[in-house]
């Protein structure tokens, strides 16, 4: 199975909003609400920031929000801050009872 | 505190085998499904395998199907990954990861990650 499709990089200025897309198929992203997002700082362990498409774990900033339309899920970061510079990965459950990650998106704050 | 500590990584020749372990502490291990996730140097995350909380059901990524086996010993609070017929492309940092679901069932998202153990496949 191929990885979910994410843009390789997204950038924005402090205070702006950016959106990262995660495109799959009806057998994964489009077929289930088990989509999650992870933030990974360089050299660090990934951190869960969104689960079940739209939910934020406690302690995660409300500047992070998730959504889904058809086969594409999205992560929006509002009020972009320097500390948001990191790699972001989406993940989805699949029809084969497996999971898939996206290829990852590097977020740069200009 | 909730903790996952991997061990067993090392250098192995192509075609060789290795067994990874993950010691869990700070939570009721037997109530959570568990995953192995890997990350090759400079690359993205790749899901490897899942095992249910009882250990009765497991699934694998196509890239490791038939070569890797995930298992667990709930009496020892330990997760394992038996890796056979290793290939150069299996070289990565292997993370032990907890599924967020408990008695309500698998949730298919990952809330606790270990620091990882490194597997190098080289002749």
């Amino acid at each position: 199975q191929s990885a979910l499709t994410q843009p390789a990089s997204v950038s924005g200025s402090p205070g702006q909003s950016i959106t990262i897309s995660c495109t799959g198929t009806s057998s994964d992203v489009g077929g289930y609400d088990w989509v999650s997002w992870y933030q990974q700082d360089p050299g660090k362990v990934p951190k869960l920031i969104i689960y079940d498409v739209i939910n934020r774990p406690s302690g995660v900033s409300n500047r992070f929000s998730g959504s889904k339309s058809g086969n594409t899920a999205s992560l929006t970061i509002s009020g972009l801050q320097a500390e948001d510079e990191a790699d972001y990965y989406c993940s989805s459950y699949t029809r084969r009872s497996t999971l898939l990650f996206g290829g990852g998106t590097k977020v740069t704050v200009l | 505190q909730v903790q996952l500590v991997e061990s067993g990584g090392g250098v192995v020749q192509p075609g060789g085998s290795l067994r990874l372990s993950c010691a869990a502490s700070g939570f009721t291990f037997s109530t959570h499904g568990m995953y192995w996730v890997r990350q090759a140097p400079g690359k993205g995350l790749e899901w490897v395998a899942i095992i249910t909380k009882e250990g009765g059901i497991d699934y694998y990524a196509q890239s490791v199907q038939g070569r890797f086996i995930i298992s667990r010993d709930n009496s020892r609070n330990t997760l394992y990954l038996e890796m056979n017929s290793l290939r150069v492309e299996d070289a990565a940092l292997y993370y032990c990861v907890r599924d967020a679901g408990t008695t309500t069932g698998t949730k298919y998202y990952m809330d606790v990650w270990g620091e990882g153990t490194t597997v190098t496949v080289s002749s």
Side-chain angles (χ1 to χ4, degrees):
Chain A
Q1 286 175 292
S2 300
L4 305 174
T5 300
Q6 296 181 232
S9 63
V10 173
S11 61
S13 299
Q16 287 186 328
S17 293
I18 61 170
T19 297
I20 302 168
S21 60
C22 170
T23 302
T25 69
S26 58
S27 294
D28 37 69
V29 174
Y32 306 92
D33 285 338
W34 285 318
V35 175
S36 51
W37 290 88
Y38 302 86
Q39 176 192 57
Q40 187 178 33
D41 290 325
K44 300 294 186 181
V45 172
K47 172 189 173 185
L48 175 70
I49 57 173
I50 294 288
Y51 65 94
D52 294 351
V53 179
I54 60 171
N55 296 308
R56 271 188 318 275
S58 60
V60 173
S61 171
N62 59 9
R63 297 185 299 102
F64 294 94
S65 62
S67 62
K68 190 180 82 167
S69 177
N71 297 335
T72 297
S74 299
L75 172 71
T76 297
I77 308 176
S78 305
L80 197 63
Q81 299 180 0
E83 66 199 48
D84 299 331
E85 274 207 351
D87 293 325
Y88 292 83
Y89 296 90
C90 63
S91 174
S92 174
Y93 178 78
T94 82
R95 183 185 61 183
R96 297 185 179 190
S97 300
T98 61
L99 274 79
L100 275 179
F101 280 104
T105 298
K106 182 177 182 61
V107 168
T108 301
V109 181
L110 302 173
Chain B
Q1 73 279 24
V2 175
Q3 198 171 14
L4 298 169
V5 179
E6 302 92 337
S7 61
V11 181
V12 61
Q13 292 187 338
S17 298
L18 211 54
R19 188 196 201 199
L20 306 183
S21 299
C22 169
S25 60
F27 67 99
T28 306
F29 180 66
S30 61
T31 62
H32 288 265
M34 296 293 296
Y35 306 95
W36 287 100
V37 173
R38 68 185 182 184
Q39 187 168 32
K43 302 296 185 181
L45 301 174
E46 181 185 10
W47 177 83
V48 173
I50 182 176
I51 188 168
T52 54
K53 56 184 185 292
E54 307 92 348
I57 299 174
D58 53 334
Y59 293 98
Y60 301 88
Q62 286 185 344
S63 58
V64 307
Q65 179 77 50
R67 300 187 299 122
F68 289 13
I69 299 174
I70 186 172
S71 62
R72 64 191 297 161
D73 185 340
N74 285 345
S75 67
R76 297 176 182 270
N77 293 336
T78 304
L79 178 73
Y80 302 100
L81 185 67
E82 187 76 36
M83 303 186 295
N84 301 305
S85 302
L86 281 161
R87 305 168 179 167
V88 171
E89 56 265 34
D90 294 320
L93 180 64
Y94 282 73
Y95 292 107
C96 168
V97 190
R98 188 180 82 169
D99 182 85
T102 56
T103 53
T104 54
T106 306
K107 294 292 188 183
Y108 302 109
Y109 60 91
M110 306 164 188
D111 65 344
V112 178
W113 296 65
E115 293 292 325
T117 186
T118 299
V119 173
T120 302
V121 184
S122 173
S123 54

